[in-house]
Amino acid sequence: MVATEPDPVEAAAHPEAVRRHRRLFRAIRRRRNPPLRRTDITVTDEAAVKRAVQAASLGNAMEWFDFGIYSYLAVTIGHVFFPSGNDTVQLLSSFAAFAVSFLVRPLGGAVFGPMGDRIGRQKVLATTMIMMAVGTFAIGLIPSYATIGFWAPALLILFRLVQGFSTGGEYGGASTFIAEYAPDRRRGYFGSFLELGTLAGYVGAAGLVTALTALLGDGGMESWGWRVPFLVAGPIGLVGLYLRLRLDETPAFRKLADNSAGRAPDPASTVETTAKGDVARIFRDHWPTLILCVCLVGAYNITDYMILSYMPTYLSDELGYSETHGLLILIATMVVLMLLVSRVGRLSDRWGRKPVLMAGMLGFLVLSVPAFVLVGQGDLVAVSAGMLMLGLSLVCMLGTMSAALPALFPTPVRYGSLSIGYNLATSLFGGTTPLVVTALISVTGTDMMPAYYAMAAALVGVIAVACMKETARQPLEGSPPSVGTAEEAAELVASRAPAPRF
């Protein structure tokens, strides 16, 4: 006879009661742990999963292409959109306009996230794609400060707010979309392609800015060349919108909608049918997980934005590199990360999310100071080695976060909860990183402030990873198991079947 774990109801009951009422306790046990049926399991279509990954990743790539070109053109944008004078003031003004879009990201997450839980992930993701493309394209059309004066920075901030609002619903929806399509055993691998899109967007932005700067020079870039990367976002947005409109809703959301349609409405829940009610319910019922999400994302985004957004400015403004030289080093680092990120996703499926995330957090905690010391040497080999040390720590998070974060929340509130938690952290810590670090260097006079800031973030991340549950190779909370083949489904049913009694 195969030994089984004792049922908690039976363990708490008196042994004599269990002996006398075996049928009753058996019925209670079956009700608490019903046997898994084949119809309970979602068998994914790999072609559909790949289409979902492509559409979600392209949107993410476009988001980070938009933010990347702004980061890499921060100095030029400062000259074009703000009054001439002190270069540091212009740079701080440019980064302030960069950070202002992050102020509305939580608002976008609070609107688009609960909407995605109500009407579906696919419709909301198509909407955010349109808004993001329009906001970026419009920035490329704004006249300079020399032409229209105050209206130039005002329009820049307006369209940055449009970008930020739409982006508030992007990452939470895209990661939820891939997580709900992917089979449980390969969620880390497929989720890593979302961050491959992040790196591709940054590489595309850095490559385009580098090529234009080399061809046009600083004068040509300030005159008209800076507009080209922003205008490119229009056609990319149309392609992404086409891909997203061709997708079906995720299997997990379809099953949730089918189950909800088959049940009588719950009078207790009909009160909260507005977006405000949805947000209030998320904060009331899921606040511990929201705090955990904010800590994880805050640590991740500070290090992410520091390396992928701020580092070219750090190399040029603080260490005296030419802008082209700094971007080329960053592009080489990101290409290495692109080659590794899907392999890290596979490792997180095999070893678990927590070990891989912990490796990344500890890497920043231990290696940040040595890495920035190497970068400060100025030698090409030393700078590349320092960037690679930071990049290898970052890729442990890049390859894992997009699978780990959606699994924190149950299916009925996953999109909304993740969008709110992710964007709160991004608004408070991620988007402000270039501004905060630039200001800290200006106040303290030390070029090592980025390292200390990354270490503080990593320390919070270590604690957060230690507190999270392991979710690798497990069904998403509130969703049935998801597998890749019918044979795998049959094996899962057989493994969950109750042991025979003799």
Side-chain angles (χ1 to χ4, degrees), residues 262-341:
R263 289 199 306 263
D266 181 6
S269 64
T270 54
V271 181
E272 294 179 340
T273 55
T274 64
K276 183 178 179 181
D278 290 333
V279 173
R281 180 159 55 96
I282 288 170
F283 275 99
R284 185 186 66 235
D285 298 341
H286 302 281
W287 64 267
T289 314
L290 273 177
I291 293 174
L292 177 63
C293 179
V294 168
C295 291
L296 284 170
V297 176
Y300 162 54
N301 270 345
I302 285 175
T303 53
D304 184 34
Y305 279 77
M306 186 174 297
I307 296 174
L308 302 186
S309 293
Y310 174 71
M311 191 57 75
T313 303
Y314 177 78
L315 291 173
S316 60
D317 275 33
E318 306 300 335
L319 302 183
Y321 272 68
S322 70
E323 291 182 25
T324 303
H325 193 183
L327 280 175
L328 286 174
I329 293 174
L330 183 61
I331 289 171
T333 303
M334 289 191 292
V335 169
V336 173
L337 301 190
M338 289 176 69
L339 296 175
L340 296 176
V341 67

Side-chain angles (χ1 to χ4, degrees), residues 79-254:
H79 293 162
V80 171
F81 285 101
F82 297 97
S84 60
N86 189 297
D87 287 343
T88 301
V89 172
Q90 282 188 327
L91 181 61
L92 285 172
S93 300
S94 179
F95 277 139
F98 178 81
V100 75
S101 69
F102 289 84
L103 298 177
V104 296
R105 282 187 67 155
L107 180 60
V111 171
F112 288 121
M115 189 186 299
D117 286 327
R118 287 200 308 273
I119 69 174
R121 286 69 162 115
Q122 185 260 0
K123 295 182 181 68
V124 175
L125 283 173
T127 303
T128 60
M129 175 66 79
I130 295 171
M131 292 183 65
M132 198 187 318
V134 169
T136 306
F137 187 80
I139 289 176
L141 301 176
I142 302 174
S144 66
Y145 183 88
T147 304
I148 60 172
F150 166 78
W151 289 105
L155 289 172
L156 174 65
I157 290 172
L158 171 65
F159 291 121
R160 288 291 297 162
L161 291 174
V162 172
Q163 285 182 317
F165 187 77
S166 63
T167 305
E170 177 62 31
Y171 183 89
S175 57
T176 294
F177 204 80
I178 293 178
E180 291 183 350
Y181 254 110
D184 296 334
R185 293 184 180 180
R186 303 181 69 195
R187 188 172 298 117
Y189 170 69
F190 284 116
S192 67
F193 283 92
L194 189 64
E195 300 299 350
L196 181 65
T198 298
L199 293 169
Y202 271 123
V203 168
L208 184 55
V209 170
T210 302
L212 287 170
T213 302
L215 287 172
L216 303 176
D218 292 340
M221 287 297 289
E222 287 194 18
S223 175
W224 62 272
W226 67 270
R227 299 182 185 275
V228 175
F230 288 98
L231 297 177
V232 166
I236 295 177
L238 292 176
V239 174
L241 179 62
Y242 170 74
L243 291 176
R244 288 188 173 181
L245 289 175
R246 291 179 62 236
L247 293 173
D248 294 325
E249 193 50 80
T250 67
F253 184 82
R254 289 201 304 267

